[in-house]
């Protein structure tokens, strides 16, 4: 069996449909436990993140203007939001010219559902500790694609 045959492809996007997400993972969605960050920004957006260190994520948009970035806290990660409807779709950070991401689970249309959400408290970690943790947990294969439509 090919590695791709055992992968789950989850799709979704923002509320208005301007941003499209495609998350590929070998993990069964029912075994994935979304992490609800307890920082005030994520709390106000109701975000709960999912990732797979062996996964892939593609975010497709009609133009680069469709995506807004917001950096807060330790200035280590960028939150990705739709420029039209304001939905928080993912969070990313870059290390060694590689983009890592965690997806807001509430933006995915998962057929079987994820496990119960668990709280996470990265705000209590230093910037170096955050990067070390994220580089182990987050999706390391991320592409931001402009479709030009």
């Amino acid at each position: 069996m090919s590695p791709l045959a055992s992968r789950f492809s989850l799709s979704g996007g923002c509320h208005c449909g301007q941003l499209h997400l495609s998350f590929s993972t070998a993990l069964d969605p029912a075994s994935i436990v979304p992490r609800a960050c307890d920082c005030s920004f994520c709390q106000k957006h109701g975000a709960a993140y999912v990732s797979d260190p062996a996964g892939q994520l593609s975010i497709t948009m009609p133009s680069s203007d469709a995506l807004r970035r917001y950096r807060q806290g330790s200035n280590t990660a960028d939150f990705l939001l739709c420029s039209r409807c304001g939905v928080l779709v993912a969070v990313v950070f870059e290390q060694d010219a590689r983009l890592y991401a965690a997806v807001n689970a509430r933006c995915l249309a998962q057929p079987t559902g994820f496990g119960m959400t668990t709280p996470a408290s990265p705000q209590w970690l230093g910037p170096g500790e955050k990067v070390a943790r994220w580089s182990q947990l987050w999706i390391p294969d991320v592409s931001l694609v402009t479709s030009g439509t």
Side-chain angles (χ1 to χ4, degrees):
M1 177 183 282
S2 102
L4 293 178
S6 65
R7 294 185 86 77
F8 292 88
S9 292
L10 306 173
S11 61
C14 64
H15 185 259
C16 72
Q18 181 171 241
L19 302 179
H20 299 275
L21 305 173
S22 178
F23 174 40
S24 178
T25 177
L27 303 173
D28 182 338
S31 72
I32 298 173
V33 177
R35 298 174 305 277
C37 175
D38 64 359
C39 82
S40 61
F41 183 80
C42 291
Q43 289 289 308
K44 288 178 187 275
H45 283 272
Y49 299 101
V50 295
S51 58
D52 174 359
Q56 297 172 313
L57 174 66
S58 177
I59 302 175
T60 306
M61 64 205 88
S63 71
S64 59
D65 293 343
L67 187 68
R68 294 281 184 239
R69 291 175 180 259
Y70 179 72
R71 186 171 275 203
Q72 61 93 36
S74 66
N75 290 313
T76 311
D78 288 332
F79 295 91
L80 305 182
L81 302 103
C82 175
S83 66
R84 190 180 326 167
C85 67
V87 168
L88 170 62
V89 297
V91 60
V92 297
F93 85 96
E94 189 171 339
Q95 181 180 40
D96 300 327
R98 174 176 254 175
L99 193 62
Y100 292 80
V103 180
N104 184 353
R106 294 184 171 115
C107 293
L108 295 171
Q110 64 275 20
T112 59
F114 294 117
M116 294 291 294
T117 300
T118 187
S121 297
Q123 64 185 328
W124 302 112
L125 300 174
E129 293 171 303
K130 289 179 185 183
V131 168
R133 178 176 166 78
W134 296 339
S135 61
Q136 291 178 348
L137 293 176
W138 287 13
I139 305 160
D141 186 355
V142 180
S143 58
L144 304 177
V145 180
T146 304
S147 66
T149 59

